[in-house]
Amino acid sequence: MRDLVWKIALWLLVSAAMLLPIAWVEGHGFLSSATIQMWAKAIVLTDGPAVFRATDAFFPPLPFAIALVMQVLSGGTDIPLPHVLSAAVGGLLAVAWYYNLINRAAYDRLSAVLVVLLLVLNPVFLRSLSEGPSMMFLILGAWLFFRGLVNIRLFGTAPDMMKVALGLLVATMSHELGVLFALATLPALVLAARPSLLLVSPSGYLVSMFFPVVAAVLSLFFVSAVLKTDFFAVQLLSPDSAWAGATFLAIFCLLPVPLMVIFRLFLQPRFSMPLGGMLLTLVGMALLNRVYPVEPDPVLVAAPALGAIPVAARWWTRTSLRSTPLAALMVLSAMLGGWALGTLGAPESRAWLQAASGRMVTNPVAQAAHVAAFLRDRDEVLADVERHPDLVAALGNASNFIAAGDPAYDRVLFGGRPAGKFVVIGVDENDPVVRDRLLRALPRLKNNNDSRFDLVYDTGSWMVYRVNRAGDT
Amino acid sequence: MALDAESEAIGNLLYDRGILTDEQLDEAEDLAEAWNLGLVEVLLGKRWLKAATIYRELAYYYDVPLLDLSETLADSALLRRYDVTEMTEAQVIPVREENGRLTVATARPGPVTLVRIIEIFGSEVDIAVATRLDISLALQSAFREEQSHEAVYGLAETDPVMSASNVILPAQVVVLYGCISLFLLGLAFAPVPTLIALNVVMTVFYLGNFLFKATLVWVGSEAQERMSQSIAAEAAMLHDDELPVYTVLVPMFREPEVLPILTNALRNLDYPLAKLDIKIVLEESDHDTIEAARSLDLEGVFEIVLVPASHPQTKPKACNYALQYARGDFLVIFDAEDKPEPDQLKKVIATFRQSSPNTACVQCRLNYYNAQENWLTRMFTLDYSLWFDLMLPGLQRLGVPIPLGGTSNHFRMDVLRQLKAWDPHNVTEDADLGIRLTQKGYRVGVIDSTTFEEANVSIPNWIRQRSRWIKGYMQTFLVHTRRPVHLARTVGLPGLIGFVFFIGGTFLSGLLNPIFWGIFVLWMIFGAQLIEPYFPPAILYMSLINLLAGNALLIYLTMVAPFRRRWTYLAPWGVTVVGYWVLMTIASYKALKQLVSNPFYWEKTQHGLSKHTAAELKAAGDEGEAAT
């Protein structure tokens, strides 16, 4: 019991420490769109109008559900709650990796601390922390899966199978990329399986391995159907041929340690096959992301490879000097990770790198702070809250909005008489597609050309209109 | 250990008289040395000679008469003047008294026995030889009333609160009555909140049950692999000469057809046969099985114990009765169709040596040799794999009282006797004993050694068997919750929670399942409006988690269960476990009905229905012939 209390205390401490790098980049203006999106959804679902009905999917359910509970329990804070959740998962990973190295791989405390420290200081890990809890849960899922994958070959116990299943479940329920990750594990599961298990019944083996994922997906469809909510959806982005090469390179940047362990244990299939299975999964996921693009940032696609590093470190041959070459390779991996962020990363990753190096970047929430301040004391504001999470995040609540699900809002979208007192729209001149659904319904607002509305606020990117009732009968 | 002079002399005598061959004598002497036993004990464990021949030669060697107690009946009144335990241990009985001198029959004449005879009966005695079976039957005949009474009421008279002879105590009735009254009052005055409150309790119970089982599987599997290796290593290093006498109880009732399988399996045990004290426990009225056992002409180590007819006619009562004739330091129960792994007894000895001194029982795993026969046997195998391979080690790891399985539980004899053994009124006496052991400060261990059994192939037969088990769990739950504070103090909080979920959860889930299935069907047919008043959002989401995640988890655990044995072909069948749950529900309601109407009735499971049994019978017959 005391051991458990101590572990929980350590987790809380490390989680608090994880907030520091997040706060550093946030202080320099970086907030990922994923974090803003989740934060805003949590605010709208807990503090928003009771009639609000999300038109976007509830996916990914695991981080969303936890973020919602945190939002309810905290009542809302100035700190983005997804960041707190992200730090908590990061802390959990760090503590779990530490104890795994100590208890399972007989590392001494100093070496274990060093390995974990180098892992969490890897720029890709830090970038993932700021990306939000979805990505951190995906890394957690990947680590659990990789751990189980190797153990299944070596030990084949029920908890190992449960690790594989839990890993796949966590990955699938946490991130769109996790669905691709789960699909990519299929050949890896065969590659890593004990020959005796496959010989007896290949179908039995695969069915039981994939049952949790299938059950989870079917369950989500069921819940979506009975609660009439869109719980499950993976939105495909437009494909970009540059992704694949950059993604493979980014993954490779994180693999020096696993590659070295595979090289050293190459002639022992019981190790090299499942460790190779980890690589196969990562490559397969990247390939699937090329065909079904869900994550545009090559560095973030590579992030689940972080879960492979502690698993490889755990199976590094036990010698008195194993920490030194391991640490050297992890430093190399960290350097390559930094390079990948700057060279291969999408604009958000590059922005993160700028913020991390102390330069200010554009903060979307800060940009919306001014219009949020204008709206703070106004009620009955028509807004497309799902397309403007930055506005919701800046406001900190959504109680004064008329949003999707409210008949008044839906009427406006279908060309009906404007309801409420105000309408807020976001204008992005660079975006070829008008994302604001209110602006799509009321296109003349963009040029202040609708007599039913009086412009009361305009910064170019944000416009607020008062609904003009003069013509009403 | 060198052969003692007496054994050497008896060996030479048997050889000189042409009863033993040269090779047989050499082998017997080698075994006697290796096992640290006398030559006679070794020969009684072999099928070279009939037991009657050995006793005849013993009488000849010691120049004492050989008594046939089936003809020269022992004087029961005389027998009853002496202590039955002392006579049982020494295998001696007074046969008659003439002119102040006692004629004492012994199955094992010799200096040691002579000393015991003088201690028990005084020095005015004449010695005679009788077979061990005759002596045992004479003792059973003389003391049948007392021993039968002890078998039935031993526990109820010494520790009544631990006995299921009273199904439910008045205080429990009051509590139950109070709960039902409260519920009815709630329904009358505030029906919706009452139903919501009931719903909350049931939903939380389900959630706890799911989480508890997942935890058991996780922690159980982690620990067992390391321990299994060290036990196997120590078992392999055990020397036969240091092994203690081991009693094997085999209670049987109306199953003459499986006797050859059983005897064959016991002969295959990697344990000196001469150090086994095998008791085939039969009901006096079961003439077919008695006849079958006698016709097998078994070795001297096999002994038939006939249990007098009395109420309740249960397996634990028969075991309690036979226990009074047991001679071993350890005891195990096997069912008639059991096939234990050969090194099981040695592994148990190694486990007792490695475990803490308060370890009183070791439970081995049970599984089935006819898993592939039909859907039911597949599901039963998955069920047992989950229960014995994954959950029981979890209970052990968490310190939760372990409900022992029906067979292959090995006891320290002293503790078993001290606790008055099994409760004859409880139809899952082993589960009850496991909980009682923990409450009395003893520990139950679980080891990686399997006994293979015949899985039930027939659904009606399965329902009968399962309804008995569930009724027994209900009895066990009622017995051990009579003193909840005492239970919590003796087994600890994790033990208490585990007991509630593992024992209570097993039958409660069977009883509650149809209620939730019904609600689900209503929801699907009539929509959410019908159930909304009783399912506030929090309860609805929790129920959805139970319905989807909880059931998926249980299905998954069922699929994972056979992997440890590499039975991957069974895993996909786990998806159909819902059908098995329906059968469990039917069995649960049958059990509840019977708990009220006929609590001590023992639903007999018919064995030998499997087509594998015929093959087993043939194999046993062939091996038996080869051994002669």
Side-chain angles (χ1 to χ4, degrees), chain A residues 53-64:
Chain A
R53 182 170 44 79
T55 51
D56 286 352
F58 192 74
F59 193 85
L62 180 62
F64 259 147

Side-chain angles (χ1 to χ4, degrees), chain B residues 256-335:
Chain B
E257 65 284 354
V258 291
L259 254 172
I261 301 178
L262 163 79
T263 52
N264 201 39
L266 294 179
R267 285 188 197 107
N268 286 338
L269 284 173
D270 176 19
Y271 204 88
L273 199 56
K275 288 190 172 182
L276 292 179
D277 167 34
I278 301 169
K279 303 253 184 293
I280 298 174
V281 187
L282 306 174
E283 297 287 333
E284 265 184 356
S285 57
D286 185 7
H287 302 295
D288 290 347
T289 317
I290 294 171
E291 189 52 41
R294 286 192 170 141
S295 67
L296 284 173
D297 197 16
L298 298 166
E299 301 91 311
V301 293
F302 289 91
E303 186 183 327
I304 297 168
V305 176
L306 299 179
V307 183
S310 66
H311 183 75
Q313 191 178 37
T314 59
K315 175 177 148 188
K317 185 200 72 178
C319 290
N320 281 349
Y321 185 80
L323 176 66
Q324 298 171 93
Y325 298 96
R327 295 181 292 112
D329 297 326
F330 296 93
L331 178 145
V332 60
I333 294 185
F334 289 129
D335 273 350

